[in-house]
Amino acid sequence: MTSIKIGILLYPTFGGSGVVATELGKALAKQGHEVHFITYSRPFKLGGFYENIYYHEVRVSEYPLFEYAPYELVLSSKIVDIVKYYKLDLLHVHYAIPHASAAYMAKQILLDQGIKIPYITTLHGTDITLVGKDASFEPVITFAINQSDAVTTVSQSLKDDTLGHFKIKKEIEVIPNFIGTQDYAIEVDEGLKKRYSPNGEKIISHVSNFRKVKRIPDIIDAFALMLKSISGKLLLVGDGPLRHKAEEMCKEHGICDHVYFLGKLKSAKEVLAISDLFMLPSESESFGLAALEAMAAGVPVISTNTGGVPEVVEHNKEGFLSQVGDVTDMANNAIKLLSDAEMHDSFKKNALLKAKRYELKEIVPLYLDLYNRTLSE
Ligand code: GMT
């Protein structure tokens, strides 16, 4: 195997695209490839020291004239420096803006100096479904995608959306997100379970960045309905714009004793291990990595029939999918599943089996194959 030197551009903070990019880099480094993460802060899933991994921080200096920090320009310059110094073979950028456009700029600067470096763009969802639909970004996104040496999306649904919203001339390959199911095969912490479910209440969990697209209020409304028929506790992991509203809604419903806001966690594995059900009522979700993580922990999912979710969660098999906003249906499905031990058990098994189809060791070779094809062009 020839080792490849790869520059990975990503959003480092909490978010599925950063998680996928970091885990991909870690897996590639383990296989002997040299990985350079280029971003503005250390990716939260990176942790400590890893052989073959380098982290390069992009810092934008303050200057009174800059009302908006020119991050993309500094990023492009940084890429140029790193490609030259470390003799990188390839760039893999996660998220179209500003990463694909910065990679394009760096590629042109390097070409001018006689250095050829291809860049692969992986689209994750919000770059296309939310940000991309904003007309002010459209020309840059279309151009940066079309100039990429290869383009991937994390689901068929996202590929269809991309082709529907932008004039894309480039072939798009679907490479789904992945997971190391072994990492989720942890013992249930009985003490923790007792802490949140002292009387055997069913534990329902959710993990996200609490942005509008996640429809957090639907979780609270659905859970309040569920409490009329079953005893349960809701564990909410993450933080973001809708947390305060969710806290207020708990007060209005009078269910504060049943809801725990756990805030941001580096990993939600322990919470998933004690969960009976996972809720993801998103407005749109290109893939739903959080649902896949729950399934890897053997937790069935209540979600919405949106974007790439149906590709990951099969309705009536690994969970139930409702129309966006139909909290009554979500609550009824949850009650049905949690009240039928046999059904719950078979959904748990199905969820884990499905997660195994997205095993890291099956998906990472697809990226490597794409790298090799791109490099040989
Ligand atoms: O969902 C978010 O708010 C974060 C966002 C991101 O860019 O990190 O997640 C997107 O990418 C994930 C990884 O590919 C997908 O699993 C999420 O479904 C996708 N989010 C949306 O489409 C809303």
Side-chain angles (χ1 to χ4, degrees), residues 15-17 95 124 126 177 209 211 214 284-289:
S17 63
Y95 224 82
H124 281 273
T126 42
N177 288 330
N209 49 24
R211 285 190 299 142
K214 305 293 173 184
S284 92
E285 202 68 68
S286 72
F287 182 88
L289 187 64

Side-chain angles (χ1 to χ4, degrees), residues 7 38 77-91 106 110 115-117:
I38 309 169
S77 297
K78 190 85 175 174
I79 299 169
V80 170
D81 280 350
I82 295 164
V83 169
K84 284 163 74 178
Y85 190 89
Y86 292 92
K87 302 194 170 34
L88 299 194
D89 299 306
L90 176 105
L91 297 168
L110 287 159
I115 300 165
K116 221 179 140 200
I117 180 124

Side-chain angles (χ1 to χ4, degrees), residues 157-176:
S157 150
L158 182 59
K159 176 176 173 173
D160 297 342
D161 276 346
T162 308
L163 294 174
H165 294 303
F166 301 89
K167 288 198 178 67
I168 303 299
K169 292 180 274 176
K170 201 84 205 163
E171 173 71 22
I172 297 181
E173 292 190 32
V174 177
I175 301 186

Side-chain angles (χ1 to χ4, degrees), residues 317-339:
K317 194 162 180 203
E318 294 118 19
F320 288 106
L321 306 181
S322 305
Q323 295 307 318
V324 172
D326 193 344
V327 288
T328 310
D329 193 52
M330 288 180 228
N332 288 341
N333 287 335
I335 295 164
K336 179 165 67 179
L337 188 53
L338 293 172
S339 315

